Amino acid sequence: MKQNKIERIHSDSARTCKLCMEEMETLYEHLAMSTDEIDLLDMPKRSFTVHFPVRMDSGKVKMFIGHRVQYNDARGPTKGGIRYHPELTIEYLQDLAFLMSIKCALVNIPFGGAKGGIVVNTRELSRGELERVTRAYIREIADYIGPFKDIPAPDVYTDEQIMVWILDEFEKIRREHTPSIVTGKPVELGGSHVRKYSTSLGGVFILEEALRKLDIDRSELCVAIQGFGKVGSNVARILYEKGFTVCAVSDSKGGIYKPEGLDIKKVIDHKTGTGSVIDLPESQNITNEQLLALDCGILIPAALSNQIKRENVNDVKAKIILELANAPLTMEASRTLIDRSVLIIPDILANAGGVVVSYFEWIQNLSQDYWEEDKVLERLREKMITAFEKVHDICLEQNCSMRRAALQFAIQRILYAERLRGNL
Ligand code: NAD
């Protein structure tokens, strides 16, 4: 019987997240899950594609493709980003929506997971075209989203301005103010304090707690960060302000290294002025491959997926990896490092701070009671530490990796909600 389940997971029709497939397979077995439970987790609740015409600046009309996946809503309305990318596929969005369901359950916020977007290269659009494409997409999906149905947010190549167009278009359709339809808005239109750096700060809270639990003195560790965008630059700044030694950072053009520690304020100014972190005076230029192989205590991938893989995993010397990017390690690399006793704090926990503060934004919009920064910080810390404690306890009880513990805990929460509803 068990063999059959695993065969089903491998079959083409099964949908279980490809990004964490191997971990899910062993979990299904470990938890002795029934076929009904696996089926329920395997398939998104709703997954759809829309096609819509938009008038371009040239006067011609062009057709666009948009998708939205609402994976599981047993614990609440679905929640997830809107991504604009020329290679966007519904299959990849299904994986990301599954991971959002897991993240929301793990940090115990009353949302299911979603993800969506438009197949488009934003660099090829004028600002007016970008606005018209966004508004047209929202008109197509308006019946399926809402504050108690599905709540979009920013993602890759979408920002605050796009969230404002989404808000405005939805409100025009509804003919009433509905700030809770979307998160990631500017504070002036109902956004939350802290949201802009919430993913990075949530990761730092978890890192500090892990060091405390493991009784590791942070002054003995230096930090290398891959990626200096929204997440990478903020985590560098926060760690620097807390007194960590950040010895290396990088972006798509390359990296910089200074063993005694970079002045992150100078790095931010340099990047703002030149467009890259490289060539900062009094630091050494390095490649991204060299950064990943540095003899640093803490490595923080905050750029792209699949950066540490079979080809370079044996070069990695870090003792702790904080996954702020989504799926920066292949599962194979992850297993190799765990075998070498490297502590990997998995993406579904490490970068969940963003969706936690999105939840706070939604609460504030619904209650019309807007919180001071201190309250957001305190509640974010509480949510992140509580999730860390649960995961840590499971790791100790079962002698398993943090990724395995986090997935297991979240899946059990989702299945429990499904059982209470009578769906299992
Ligand atoms: P971003 O586009 O602002 O920044 C990405 C950074 O990565 C840029 O500095 C870019 O130059 C750099 N980069 C690109 N290719 C690189 C390479 N080969 N080597 C080194 N650096 C490279 O994106 P972001 O919002 O900071 O997101 C970073 C990662 O974090 C993504 O995986 C994203 O899915 C994940 N994430 C982001 C959030 C969020 O709140 N923004 C939340 C959860 C997860």
Side-chain angles (χ1 to χ4, degrees), residues 30 389-401 405 408-409 412:
H30 173 70
E389 299 277 354
K390 301 268 186 214
V391 170
H392 187 252
D393 287 351
I394 297 172
C395 288
L396 291 183
E397 273 164 36
Q398 301 186 10
N399 189 25
C400 67
S401 70
Q408 174 178 330
F409 184 60
Q412 282 173 323

Side-chain angles (χ1 to χ4, degrees), residues 83 92 96 100 103 115 154-157 195-200 225-233 249-255 271 275 277 287-289 291-292 301-305 307 323-328 347 350-355:
R83 179 174 293 213
Y92 187 53
L96 295 174
M100 279 301 292
K103 244 180 246 185
K115 209 72 157 191
D155 199 88
V156 174
Y157 293 123
R195 188 198 53 83
K196 282 187 180 164
Y197 59 95
S198 54
T199 303
S200 311
I225 302 170
Q226 187 198 35
F228 207 72
K230 293 183 283 290
V231 175
S233 65
V249 299
S250 68
D251 58 30
S252 57
K253 295 192 179 140
K271 167 116 186 162
V277 297
T287 64
N288 263 295
E289 279 304 309
L291 180 137
L292 296 175
L304 308 171
S305 299
Q307 292 301 291
E323 292 186 338
L324 287 187
N326 282 317
D347 48 4
N351 69 27
V355 74

Side-chain angles (χ1 to χ4, degrees), residues 75-301:
R75 292 173 39 85
T78 52
K79 175 101 193 76
I82 292 195
R83 179 174 293 213
Y84 289 178
H85 199 278
E87 280 145 36
L88 199 67
T89 66
I90 197 135
E91 290 77 18
Y92 187 53
L93 289 172
Q94 285 170 345
D95 284 354
L96 295 174
F98 174 83
L99 289 181
M100 279 301 292
S101 307
I102 294 287
K103 244 180 246 185
C104 294
L106 181 61
V107 289
N108 203 15
I109 57 178
F111 288 142
K115 209 72 157 191
I118 303 176
V119 183
V120 65
N121 184 347
T122 52
R123 290 195 194 123
E124 291 170 2
L125 299 181
S126 69
R127 186 181 157 90
E129 288 169 341
L130 188 62
E131 177 175 355
R132 293 197 291 282
V133 167
T134 300
R135 288 181 182 274
Y137 171 63
I138 293 307
R139 286 196 294 278
E140 291 304 320
I141 68 168
D143 285 345
Y144 306 98
I145 59 172
F148 299 103
K149 287 185 192 170
D150 178 21
I151 305 129
D155 199 88
V156 174
Y157 293 123
T158 55
D159 58 13
E160 269 189 1
Q161 177 59 73
I162 292 176
M163 299 308 111
V164 172
W165 290 329
I166 292 174
L167 170 76
D168 189 66
E169 193 62 30
F170 189 82
E171 290 184 340
K172 283 193 166 87
I173 294 166
R174 275 280 186 97
R175 303 182 71 78
E176 61 188 19
H177 280 285
T178 321
S180 50
I181 174 58
V182 64
T183 60
K185 303 179 292 291
V187 170
E188 294 73 14
L189 284 178
S192 178
H193 289 297
V194 183
R195 188 198 53 83
K196 282 187 180 164
Y197 59 95
S198 54
T199 303
S200 311
L201 184 60
V204 171
F205 285 151
I206 298 277
L207 177 66
E208 287 182 315
E209 197 57 18
L211 296 179
R212 202 178 63 76
K213 277 263 184 321
L214 298 171
D215 204 16
I216 296 174
D217 179 1
R218 70 187 203 188
S219 65
E220 291 168 11
L221 304 169
C222 69
V223 186
I225 302 170
Q226 187 198 35
F228 207 72
K230 293 183 283 290
V231 175
S233 65
N234 276 310
V235 77
R237 177 185 57 78
I238 295 165
L239 290 174
Y240 174 75
E241 285 168 0
K242 282 178 176 275
F244 282 79
T245 304
V246 180
C247 63
V249 299
S250 68
D251 58 30
S252 57
K253 295 192 179 140
I256 47 172
Y257 176 54
K258 188 173 178 184
E260 57 276 25
L262 295 158
D263 179 336
I264 297 300
K265 291 204 173 92
K266 281 190 186 159
V267 182
I268 291 172
D269 288 347
H270 180 73
K271 167 116 186 162
T272 309
T274 67
S276 174
V277 297
I278 58 169
D279 297 331
L280 179 80
E282 293 165 35
S283 71
Q284 178 191 334
N285 280 347
I286 55 172
T287 64
N288 263 295
E289 279 304 309
Q290 287 172 318
L291 180 137
L292 296 175
L294 281 176
D295 194 3
C296 58
I298 303 169
L299 175 63
I300 306 185

